[in-house]
Amino acid sequence: MCNLYSNTMAKDAMRQLFAVDASHDALGNAEPLTAIFPKGMAPIVGLNDDGARWLRHAHWGFVMPQLSKKTGKPIQPKAVNNARDDKLRTSGFWRTSFDERRCLIPATSFCETKGHNPATYVWFGVTGEGKRPPFALAGVWRAYKGNYGGGDLREMITSSMVTTTPNDLVKDTHPDRMPMILAPEDYAQWLTGTPDEAFALIRPFPAERMVIHQSGEGLKSDHGQTQF
């Protein structure tokens, strides 16, 4: 699973990499994000009804409302930020989004932790040109409108990233799951293919095409800054 990633791409670079027309870019003044946690807002790429790609901010995690056991009133909801590949087509929580609303999640690295007290933070990325070559994680999205705890009514796009079995590089840190990285040549198939065609893409990204950018205690932000 993944509970932390970064996206330090400029929005112009995102538009170019993911073939999004400027007229469908709703990011505004998007800042580099060195630490994105569940319930945070971050860019995703999806499709309009006419098939045009868009860039929007999305809440990381499908919203799962909760009620207080003491008062019965709404409290801060859960954010279900990882979608297991083996649940995408069998769980009603994920199935419609996988069939109809797949997305790309722009990233420049993702983090997994190893051990406890203290934990080691390991930041993974892909090989390529530049210090943090960009890539896309496979995701699903859906709209949410409702109570967000504390009486607040919110309307927003929410996303979750697909996870699969880890490759040899990642499994030493997280032996069970890793985010699904898409090769650039597979972006279109993930977004526009049939459910069968999209599901056929799910596999661990090749370990030889990945790197560890940094590893150590207290590295809760890419580029080595601790954030809380």
Side-chain angles (χ1 to χ4, degrees), residues 130-165:
K131 187 175 181 181
R132 296 285 191 277
F135 57 95
L137 298 166
V140 291
W141 71 272
R142 69 181 183 186
Y144 174 78
K145 182 178 181 180
N147 190 285
Y148 197 74
D152 294 332
L153 184 67
R154 294 187 65 176
E155 185 172 0
M156 58 190 176
I157 297 297
T158 66
S159 68
S160 183
M161 66 175 60
V162 175
T163 64
T164 188
T165 52

Side-chain angles (χ1 to χ4, degrees), residues 84-116:
R84 289 179 60 105
D85 56 355
D86 55 355
K87 302 293 185 183
L88 287 173
R89 310 190 79 176
T90 60
S91 169
F93 190 77
W94 302 114
R95 187 168 52 244
T96 301
S97 294
F98 175 71
D99 287 348
E100 302 176 3
R101 296 182 299 274
R102 296 183 294 273
C103 65
L104 308 176
I105 302 176
T108 47
S109 61
F110 71 89
C111 184
E112 300 288 2
T113 59
K114 183 177 183 179
H116 301 280

Side-chain angles (χ1 to χ4, degrees), residues 3-5 35-41 60 220-221 227-228:
N3 291 315
L4 177 59
Y5 74 103
I36 304 166
F37 295 93
K39 299 184 182 179
M41 301 296 290
W60 186 23
K220 292 187 178 182
S221 169
Q227 294 188 359
F228 298 93

Side-chain angles (χ1 to χ4, degrees), residues 176-218:
D176 182 47
R177 314 295 297 170
M178 70 173 285
M180 180 187 152
I181 300 173
L182 285 162
E185 60 269 23
D186 294 331
Y187 293 168
Q189 184 171 325
W190 181 256
L191 288 174
T192 65
T194 66
D196 284 343
E197 290 170 339
F199 197 78
L201 295 174
I202 298 177
R203 65 182 74 90
F205 197 69
E208 63 272 15
R209 295 172 61 184
M210 292 183 62
V211 296
I212 293 175
H213 287 310
Q214 58 178 353
S215 175
E217 299 173 9

